[in-house]
Amino acid sequence: MTPFAEIFHGDRILEIKMQSNEKNTFDFEAFVSFQEILNKHANNPNLRVLLFTSAQTQFFSNGIEPTLMYGKSESDVRRSVEQLLRTAQTYFHFPVPTIAVINGHCMAAGAVFALFSDYRYMVDKGGRIGFSEAIVGLNFPSIPTIVLQDLVGVKATRDLLFTGKQIKGPEAKEIGLVDELFSAEDLYPEAMKFAETLSKLTYNSSRGMKTALREPYRKQMESLFQLDADLFTKVILSPDGQEGFLSLIEKRRPKFST
């Protein structure tokens, strides 16, 4: 099974559905595949909106597949980190509005992809969203930090990152991290209804508004890319970073040395 399904609804709505595994974690091939799909459709003149969905019921995405980063060489970790950052930036700058349909748990790198969407619709019960890097001894890249601060404010960003807190839908909506909450039954139909509204935009409106919203971040992303890649790679390779990923593999609490 390929990690993503591409589904067109008419010629103006594209749905990209994650189906990599039961938790929709990203390995290297998944990051590459997602970027390739985005690049393939970016210049489609008919496209007006992208729905980002999950084939799973319990997880939207649980982030990085831990085996991707554990016990690997410096060059392999750097290669994976840089691909993660490139894929996330490609998604952030995708030229039409994007809607993340968060139907379950949404963590770490998965939450970054949700954050990098223009809209976030989330299930009202049974799902949490959070940036859990601190819990497993990691840092957090500066670019999603900037985007998160712009969305929910400095204080909420501080609390989410330092605590690694994984919050339920109502709290996520209260702080502005998600836009709308719906029952599991209504989530996808409501997201599709909104996608159909956005699909009525003209080519110039759809792409022009997206450019206005995203272009101010481009130079920051380019200037901070190497800093983020270097620091994230270094932290992942540290003893605590490796212990964090091993704890995920072994499904236990990490035992840090520092």
Side-chain angles (χ1 to χ4, degrees):
M1 179 184 292
T2 58
F4 300 93
E6 303 163 60
I7 306 164
F8 267 96
H9 302 272
D11 61 353
R12 292 191 166 204
I13 301 173
L14 170 63
E15 178 181 353
I16 299 179
K17 180 176 291 187
M18 292 181 286
Q19 53 183 22
S20 57
N21 52 53
E22 63 179 10
K23 293 185 178 181
N24 277 331
T25 54
F26 284 83
D27 60 14
F28 185 82
E29 289 72 24
F31 285 128
V32 171
S33 176
F34 191 30
Q35 186 178 31
E36 289 176 346
I37 291 169
L38 294 169
N39 287 334
K40 179 174 72 174
H41 295 291
N43 295 321
N44 181 342
N46 296 318
L47 192 62
R48 297 293 186 272
V49 59
L50 168 64
L51 275 175
F52 190 27
T53 66
S54 166
Q56 311 305 333
T57 56
Q58 188 176 359
F59 285 89
F60 174 74
S61 172
N62 209 39
I64 297 172
E65 172 56 43
T67 56
L68 179 64
M69 300 299 188
Y70 178 71
K72 299 299 191 294
S73 67
E74 190 275 342
S75 60
D76 284 343
V77 170
R78 179 175 294 277
R79 175 170 172 260
S80 296
V81 165
E82 291 184 351
Q83 184 61 54
L84 183 166
L85 296 176
R86 281 194 295 270
T87 302
Q89 290 186 18
T90 300
Y91 181 69
F92 183 82
H93 289 291
F94 193 71
V96 300
T98 55
I99 306 169
V101 185
I102 307 168
N103 61 326
H105 300 308
C106 180
M107 303 299 169
V112 171
F113 282 108
L115 172 68
F116 279 10
S117 303
D118 293 290
Y119 296 92
R120 286 156 295 280
Y121 279 24
M122 186 173 179
V123 67
D124 59 355
K125 297 177 183 177
R128 292 177 180 266
I129 184 170
F131 306 91
S132 53
E133 282 78 2
I135 294 175
V136 290
L138 302 177
N139 68 315
F140 194 71
S142 55
I143 287 301
T145 300
I146 292 169
V147 176
L148 186 59
Q149 286 183 161
D150 288 348
L151 183 66
V152 304
V154 173
K155 181 178 181 296
T157 297
R158 175 199 68 192
D159 293 344
L160 286 169
L161 296 187
F162 276 125
T163 66
K165 183 167 61 172
Q166 299 152 35
I167 60 178
K168 296 179 181 179
E171 184 177 354
K173 184 177 181 183
E174 182 180 354
I175 67 172
L177 183 54
V178 301
D179 296 286
E180 299 291 347
L181 300 175
F182 296 101
S183 68
E185 294 77 17
D186 292 338
L187 178 63
Y188 183 84
E190 290 292 337
M192 180 58 72
K193 184 187 299 185
F194 184 56
E196 289 169 351
T197 298
L198 292 178
S199 74
K200 296 179 173 62
L201 290 167
T202 66
Y203 174 93
N204 289 327
S205 293
S206 174
R207 291 173 180 262
M209 300 305 180
K210 184 63 177 275
T211 298
L213 288 165
R214 297 308 205 205
E215 198 61 28
Y217 290 93
R218 191 178 294 277
K219 287 185 178 179
Q220 282 184 307
M221 287 188 164
E222 292 172 354
S223 66
L224 292 170
F225 181 92
Q226 203 58 56
L227 172 68
D228 279 347
D230 289 347
L231 185 55
F232 203 32
T233 299
K234 179 180 179 181
V235 172
I236 289 170
L237 290 168
S238 71
D240 285 338
Q242 288 294 287
E243 166 60 16
F245 279 110
L246 180 60
S247 72
L248 293 173
I249 294 169
E250 296 181 345
K251 298 179 181 179
R252 59 170 174 79
R253 292 180 181 273
K255 301 174 183 177
F256 298 126
S257 59
T258 59

XYZ file of all heavy atoms in Angstrom, residues 1-61:
505
model
N 0.840 -1.202 0.000
C 0.000 0.000 0.000
C 0.877 1.255 0.000
O 1.831 1.360 0.754
C -0.906 0.013 1.237
C -1.799 1.243 1.335
S -2.785 1.284 2.859
C -3.876 -0.095 2.570
N 0.546 2.192 -0.872
C 1.264 3.462 -0.883
C 0.864 4.280 0.348
O -0.257 4.139 0.856
C 0.939 4.262 -2.149
O -0.475 4.489 -2.203
C 1.378 3.512 -3.396
N 1.769 5.143 0.861
C 1.461 5.873 2.097
C 0.360 6.921 1.953
O -0.181 7.379 2.959
C 2.793 6.516 2.472
C 3.586 6.546 1.216
C 3.152 5.367 0.409
N 0.008 7.292 0.723
C -1.021 8.304 0.516
C -1.912 7.909 -0.657
O -1.444 7.362 -1.649
C -0.404 9.679 0.214
C 0.479 10.196 1.294
C 1.849 9.955 1.257
C -0.032 10.920 2.361
C 2.679 10.410 2.253
C 0.785 11.380 3.363
C 2.144 11.129 3.312
N -3.191 8.217 -0.525
C -4.121 8.063 -1.634
C -4.478 9.449 -2.155
O -4.650 10.390 -1.373
C -5.378 7.329 -1.179
N -4.572 9.578 -3.467
C -4.945 10.847 -4.100
C -6.353 10.693 -4.671
O -6.587 9.856 -5.542
C -3.958 11.194 -5.205
C -2.522 11.287 -4.738
C -1.533 11.229 -5.894
O -1.608 12.109 -6.777
O -0.710 10.293 -5.930
N -7.281 11.514 -4.191
C -8.680 11.392 -4.569
C -9.185 12.761 -5.037
O -9.142 13.733 -4.284
C -9.547 10.909 -3.386
C -8.983 9.615 -2.798
C -11.003 10.737 -3.815
C -9.526 9.281 -1.427
N -9.662 12.835 -6.264
C -10.250 14.075 -6.750
C -11.765 14.036 -6.572
O -12.418 13.029 -6.849
C -9.917 14.307 -8.224
C -8.681 15.145 -8.432
C -7.456 14.555 -8.666
C -8.757 16.530 -8.364
C -6.322 15.325 -8.839
C -7.634 17.313 -8.535
C -6.403 16.716 -8.783
N -12.313 15.133 -6.074
C -13.750 15.329 -5.964
C -14.097 16.424 -6.981
O -13.884 17.615 -6.726
C -14.137 15.758 -4.551
C -13.703 14.768 -3.499
N -14.484 13.700 -3.112
C -12.554 14.681 -2.769
C -13.851 13.002 -2.183
N -12.682 13.571 -1.956
N -14.585 16.000 -8.145
C -14.675 16.936 -9.249
C -13.267 17.247 -9.723
O -12.347 16.440 -9.578
N -13.075 18.428 -10.273
C -11.723 18.780 -10.715
C -11.109 19.900 -9.877
O -9.979 20.319 -10.139
C -11.715 19.177 -12.193
C -12.582 20.400 -12.490
O -13.295 20.872 -11.570
O -12.559 20.879 -13.634
N -11.824 20.352 -8.824
C -11.330 21.479 -8.032
C -10.912 21.107 -6.614
O -10.260 21.921 -5.948
C -12.388 22.589 -7.979
C -12.616 23.264 -9.328
C -13.450 24.519 -9.182
N -13.403 25.329 -10.379
C -13.621 26.641 -10.419
N -13.928 27.283 -9.295
N -13.559 27.307 -11.547
N -11.296 19.947 -6.139
C -10.979 19.527 -4.774
C -10.120 18.268 -4.828
O -10.539 17.244 -5.384
C -12.249 19.244 -3.957
C -13.135 20.487 -3.883
C -11.888 18.763 -2.551
C -14.494 20.227 -3.241
N -8.929 18.351 -4.250
C -8.046 17.197 -4.147
C -7.980 16.761 -2.687
O -7.735 17.576 -1.800
C -6.641 17.545 -4.635
C -5.547 16.490 -4.357
C -5.841 15.190 -5.090
C -4.168 17.033 -4.744
N -8.208 15.483 -2.442
C -8.041 14.911 -1.113
C -6.780 14.042 -1.107
O -6.632 13.156 -1.951
C -9.255 14.074 -0.728
C -9.124 13.401 0.633
C -10.342 12.557 0.985
O -11.333 12.592 0.236
O -10.270 11.850 2.011
N -5.886 14.320 -0.185
C -4.725 13.461 0.034
C -4.955 12.751 1.355
O -5.054 13.386 2.407
C -3.410 14.256 0.057
C -3.177 14.961 -1.278
C -2.237 13.321 0.375
C -1.913 15.797 -1.329
N -5.072 11.425 1.291
C -5.423 10.640 2.470
C -4.214 9.823 2.934
O -3.666 9.014 2.187
C -6.596 9.709 2.153
C -7.042 8.841 3.317
C -8.267 8.007 2.954
C -9.499 8.881 2.792
N -10.732 8.078 2.614
N -3.805 10.045 4.189
C -2.703 9.277 4.768
C -3.163 7.864 5.086
O -4.215 7.663 5.689
C -2.208 9.940 6.059
C -1.531 11.273 5.860
S -0.958 11.961 7.434
C -2.525 12.477 8.155
N -2.317 6.884 4.680
C -2.650 5.489 4.930
C -1.365 4.673 5.086
O -1.269 3.536 4.623
C -3.503 4.934 3.792
C -2.906 5.138 2.399
C -3.798 4.642 1.288
O -5.007 4.492 1.428
N -3.204 4.360 0.137
N -0.366 5.266 5.772
C 0.950 4.641 5.841
C 0.972 3.435 6.769
O 1.581 2.407 6.464
C 2.005 5.660 6.293
O 1.656 6.223 7.550
N 0.324 3.553 7.926
C 0.242 2.462 8.903
C -0.850 2.828 9.904
O -1.537 3.834 9.735
C 1.594 2.214 9.593
C 2.186 3.480 10.187
O 1.529 4.190 10.951
N 3.425 3.794 9.832
N -0.990 2.042 10.974
C -2.127 2.263 11.876
C -2.043 3.588 12.632
O -3.067 4.104 13.100
C -2.239 1.113 12.875
C -1.056 0.965 13.805
C -1.218 -0.181 14.789
O -2.165 -0.975 14.618
O -0.391 -0.277 15.706
N -0.842 4.164 12.742
C -0.696 5.458 13.415
C -0.316 6.574 12.441
O -0.080 7.708 12.855
C 0.351 5.370 14.529
C -0.061 4.472 15.687
C 0.967 4.523 16.811
C 0.538 3.663 17.993
N 1.530 3.721 19.109
N -0.261 6.263 11.149
C 0.128 7.233 10.128
C 1.432 7.943 10.491
O 1.541 9.163 10.397
C -0.987 8.254 9.897
C -2.043 7.749 8.939
O -1.767 6.937 8.058
N -3.272 8.212 9.120
N 2.440 7.173 10.904
C 3.751 7.765 11.141
C 4.485 7.924 9.814
O 4.234 7.193 8.851
C 4.579 6.908 12.108
O 4.639 5.561 11.621
C 3.977 6.929 13.507
N 5.402 8.886 9.791
C 6.152 9.209 8.583
C 7.530 8.566 8.635
O 8.335 8.879 9.518
C 6.331 10.724 8.456
C 5.117 11.469 8.002
C 4.122 11.827 8.902
C 4.966 11.841 6.670
C 3.004 12.534 8.490
C 3.852 12.535 6.244
C 2.866 12.890 7.158
N 7.838 7.706 7.675
C 9.221 7.295 7.461
C 9.785 8.136 6.318
O 9.104 9.041 5.802
C 9.328 5.794 7.186
C 8.553 5.345 5.959
O 8.136 6.204 5.139
O 8.352 4.124 5.801
N 11.019 7.869 5.913
C 11.644 8.698 4.885
C 10.852 8.660 3.585
O 10.613 9.700 2.948
C 13.084 8.236 4.640
C 13.838 9.114 3.689
C 14.425 10.293 4.130
C 13.962 8.772 2.349
C 15.104 11.120 3.245
C 14.645 9.593 1.463
C 15.227 10.770 1.911
N 10.431 7.463 3.193
C 9.694 7.320 1.937
C 8.372 8.076 1.973
O 7.935 8.629 0.953
C 9.457 5.838 1.639
C 10.695 5.056 1.237
C 11.662 4.820 2.395
O 11.216 4.845 3.583
O 12.858 4.625 2.144
N 7.738 8.124 3.144
C 6.471 8.855 3.256
C 6.685 10.353 3.082
O 5.896 11.030 2.416
C 5.813 8.565 4.606
N 7.754 10.881 3.678
C 8.051 12.306 3.485
C 8.294 12.608 2.007
O 7.790 13.604 1.464
C 9.280 12.713 4.300
C 9.033 12.856 5.778
C 9.831 12.204 6.695
C 8.011 13.663 6.257
C 9.620 12.337 8.057
C 7.783 13.808 7.614
C 8.585 13.137 8.522
N 9.074 11.769 1.348
C 9.373 11.974 -0.067
C 8.109 11.869 -0.905
O 7.839 12.706 -1.786
C 10.427 10.957 -0.550
C 10.578 11.020 -2.074
C 11.770 11.213 0.120
N 7.307 10.840 -0.636
C 6.081 10.628 -1.403
C 5.118 11.802 -1.264
O 4.529 12.260 -2.260
C 5.402 9.337 -0.940
O 4.170 9.143 -1.594
N 4.982 12.310 -0.042
C 4.075 13.435 0.181
C 4.550 14.663 -0.586
O 3.754 15.340 -1.249
C 3.987 13.728 1.675
C 2.890 14.683 2.058
C 1.722 14.770 1.336
C 3.033 15.492 3.181
C 0.703 15.654 1.699
C 2.033 16.386 3.551
C 0.868 16.467 2.811
N 5.838 14.941 -0.535
C 6.360 16.096 -1.270
C 6.161 15.921 -2.774
O 5.788 16.879 -3.472
C 7.832 16.311 -0.958
C 8.385 17.584 -1.598
C 9.842 17.828 -1.249
O 10.608 16.885 -1.041
N 10.239 19.079 -1.193
N 6.382 14.727 -3.277
C 6.198 14.486 -4.714
C 4.746 14.694 -5.135
O 4.473 15.270 -6.194
C 6.664 13.069 -5.063
C 8.177 12.895 -5.002
C 8.606 11.460 -5.256
O 7.727 10.565 -5.214
O 9.801 11.234 -5.488
N 3.814 14.240 -4.317
C 2.397 14.430 -4.634
C 2.045 15.914 -4.652
O 1.341 16.401 -5.550
C 1.524 13.671 -3.621
C 1.663 12.162 -3.808
C 0.051 14.071 -3.756
C 1.052 11.338 -2.692
N 2.520 16.634 -3.652
C 2.254 18.069 -3.598
C 2.819 18.782 -4.823
O 2.141 19.620 -5.446
C 2.846 18.670 -2.320
C 2.209 18.208 -1.007
C 3.063 18.661 0.175
C 0.790 18.748 -0.869
N 4.047 18.462 -5.191
C 4.667 19.101 -6.354
C 3.929 18.745 -7.642
O 3.792 19.574 -8.545
C 6.140 18.696 -6.459
C 7.005 19.367 -5.410
O 6.680 20.447 -4.917
N 8.109 18.732 -5.056
N 3.440 17.515 -7.717
C 2.733 17.066 -8.926
C 1.467 17.880 -9.164
O 1.120 18.176 -10.319
C 2.394 15.580 -8.794
C 1.630 15.016 -9.980
C 1.445 13.516 -9.876
C 0.453 13.119 -8.818
N 0.159 11.668 -8.822
N 0.772 18.255 -8.091
C -0.525 18.925 -8.238
C -0.459 20.446 -8.081
O -1.463 21.124 -8.305
C -1.506 18.366 -7.214
C -1.845 16.926 -7.430
N -2.594 16.484 -8.505
C -1.530 15.809 -6.712
C -2.729 15.166 -8.437
N -2.098 14.734 -7.365
N 0.699 20.970 -7.718
C 0.793 22.404 -7.393
C 0.391 23.311 -8.550
O -0.200 24.382 -8.333
C 2.212 22.733 -6.935
N 0.687 22.914 -9.773
C 0.412 23.780 -10.926
C -0.859 23.405 -11.677
O -1.089 23.902 -12.783
C 1.610 23.757 -11.877
C 2.851 24.372 -11.252
O 2.768 25.372 -10.542
N 4.002 23.767 -11.500
N -1.691 22.555 -11.081
C -2.964 22.193 -11.706
C -3.864 23.432 -11.752
O -4.283 23.940 -10.700
C -3.625 21.082 -10.892
C -4.956 20.629 -11.475
O -5.577 21.314 -12.284
N -5.417 19.467 -11.042
N -4.197 23.951 -12.929
C -4.961 25.198 -13.012
C -6.398 25.075 -12.525
O -7.040 26.088 -12.216
C -4.920 25.550 -14.503
C -4.746 24.229 -15.188
C -3.875 23.420 -14.272
N -6.916 23.844 -12.449
C -8.288 23.659 -11.994
C -8.408 23.569 -10.475
O -9.486 23.791 -9.919
C -8.870 22.380 -12.608
C -8.971 22.454 -14.110
O -9.364 23.473 -14.670
N -8.597 21.373 -14.780
N -7.303 23.242 -9.806
C -7.348 22.970 -8.377
C -7.618 24.244 -7.578
O -7.028 25.287 -7.827
C -6.011 22.354 -7.931
C -5.981 21.759 -6.528
C -6.960 20.604 -6.404
C -4.567 21.289 -6.186
N -8.514 24.132 -6.574
C -8.846 25.276 -5.729
C -8.627 25.002 -4.245
O -8.435 25.928 -3.469
C -10.317 25.671 -5.932
C -10.650 26.141 -7.334
C -9.968 27.460 -7.683
N -10.412 27.949 -8.972
C -9.842 27.614 -10.136
N -8.792 26.809 -10.150
N -10.301 28.088 -11.276
N -8.659 23.715 -3.824
C -8.565 23.419 -2.397
C -8.041 21.997 -2.201
O -8.287 21.111 -3.018
C -9.933 23.615 -1.699
C -10.991 22.729 -2.300
C -9.830 23.394 -0.199
N -7.289 21.803 -1.109
C -6.743 20.499 -0.753
C -7.272 20.068 0.605
O -7.184 20.819 1.586
C -5.209 20.569 -0.709
C -4.470 19.379 -0.092
C -4.691 18.127 -0.920
C -2.984 19.682 0.038
N -7.836 18.857 0.669
C -8.232 18.231 1.930
C -7.137 17.246 2.329
O -6.762 16.378 1.538
C -9.539 17.455 1.759
C -10.873 18.181 1.886
C -11.996 17.205 1.560
C -11.064 18.733 3.275
N -6.622 17.374 3.560
C -5.608 16.450 4.070
C -6.272 15.591 5.129
O -6.670 16.085 6.190
C -4.443 17.253 4.645
C -3.224 16.434 4.979
C -2.939 15.254 4.320
C -2.345 16.865 5.955
C -1.815 14.515 4.623
C -1.216 16.136 6.278
C -0.944 14.958 5.605
N -6.424 14.293 4.849
C -7.230 13.416 5.692
C -6.452 12.156 6.083
O -5.338 11.925 5.631
C -8.527 12.999 4.972
O -8.199 12.175 3.845
C -9.312 14.217 4.496
N -7.081 11.345 6.915
C -6.485 10.100 7.394
C -7.415 8.929 7.128
O -8.628 9.037 7.327
C -6.212 10.201 8.903
O -5.934 8.934 9.454
N -6.835 7.809 6.710
C -7.610 6.597 6.515
C -7.867 5.876 7.834
O -8.691 4.967 7.886
C -6.888 5.660 5.549
N -7.156 6.273 8.887
C -7.304 5.639 10.194
C -8.417 6.327 10.992
O -8.799 7.448 10.683
C -5.983 5.687 10.966
C -4.782 5.226 10.174
C -4.950 3.832 9.586
O -5.684 3.003 10.109
N -4.285 3.576 8.473
N -8.881 5.669 12.030
C -9.935 6.254 12.856
C -9.402 6.790 14.176
O -9.959 7.742 14.714
C -11.040 5.217 13.149
O -10.447 4.061 13.756
C -11.736 4.804 11.862
N -8.316 6.220 14.684
C -7.799 6.664 15.981
C -6.715 7.712 15.846
O -6.526 8.543 16.735
C -7.255 5.463 16.772
C -6.881 5.805 18.212
C -6.442 4.584 18.998
O -6.434 3.463 18.491
N -6.063 4.804 20.242
N -5.994 7.715 14.729
C -4.882 8.640 14.542
C -5.043 9.432 13.253
O -5.338 8.865 12.196
C -3.553 7.881 14.481
C -3.076 7.376 15.816
C -3.468 6.135 16.267
C -2.243 8.150 16.608
C -3.039 5.660 17.495
C -1.808 7.685 17.840
C -2.201 6.440 18.286
N -4.841 10.745 13.375
C -4.596 11.551 12.178
C -3.151 11.299 11.760
O -2.887 10.807 10.666
C -4.846 13.026 12.484
C -4.491 13.951 11.342
C -5.296 14.020 10.221
C -3.358 14.746 11.409
C -4.971 14.872 9.159
C -3.030 15.608 10.367
C -3.829 15.668 9.240
N -2.198 11.605 12.643
C -0.804 11.227 12.432
C -0.065 11.309 13.758
O -0.206 12.290 14.491
C -0.121 12.137 11.411
O 1.272 11.872 11.370
